[in-house]
Amino acid sequence: MEEIHEEDGFVFFRRREAIENGGNVLLIVAFNESSIDFRVYDIADIQNPLKKEAALQLINELNMTYRYSKFTINEGRIDLSYSLSKHFPADAQDLFDILVMLLDCASDTYPKFMKVQWS
């Protein structure tokens, strides 16, 4: 992963990754004062305004299904996030496991978003 240090002391890591069912996502692990934030960007890009309602419905269903992962839509882009308290005693293996869990979640849900986009 590429390590980024911002001027304000914010540190994050990023990497492009191909998901199992197609497409590429951007993985981010960011460390700030109170949390460790995991993000998976660009799972899908649903720009058709006629598909927005179906995309929002799917996001709501997935957010109720997945306990920790949260899907969002921003200007048509579908993203996935998870936050962990920085005070939670986690080692590098725990952080890697969370990242793999999110990547698996993105891979599992990608076909569902593609179905919305192309139906």
Side-chain angles (χ1 to χ4, degrees), residues 51-102:
K51 306 288 182 172
K52 185 174 182 178
E53 186 67 33
L56 289 171
Q57 184 176 359
L58 177 57
I59 286 171
N60 286 336
E61 290 171 13
L62 293 172
N63 283 339
M64 290 184 337
T65 301
Y66 289 95
R67 184 172 183 169
Y68 300 107
S69 307
K70 294 300 171 203
F71 289 88
T72 57
I73 187 169
N74 184 15
E75 296 180 9
R77 189 182 72 216
I78 308 297
D79 302 322
L80 179 60
S81 65
Y82 177 84
S83 291
L84 181 66
S85 170
K86 198 167 188 177
H87 304 291
F88 181 80
D91 62 16
Q93 184 63 50
D94 294 330
L95 301 180
F96 183 76
D97 290 345
I98 291 169
L99 195 56
V100 169
M101 174 195 69
L102 290 175

Side-chain angles (χ1 to χ4, degrees), residues 10 28-32 35-39 82-84 102:
F10 188 70
I28 301 281
V29 180
F31 297 84
N32 61 48
S35 66
I36 303 169
D37 298 317
F38 300 83
R39 301 285 185 264
Y82 177 84
S83 291
L84 181 66
L102 290 175

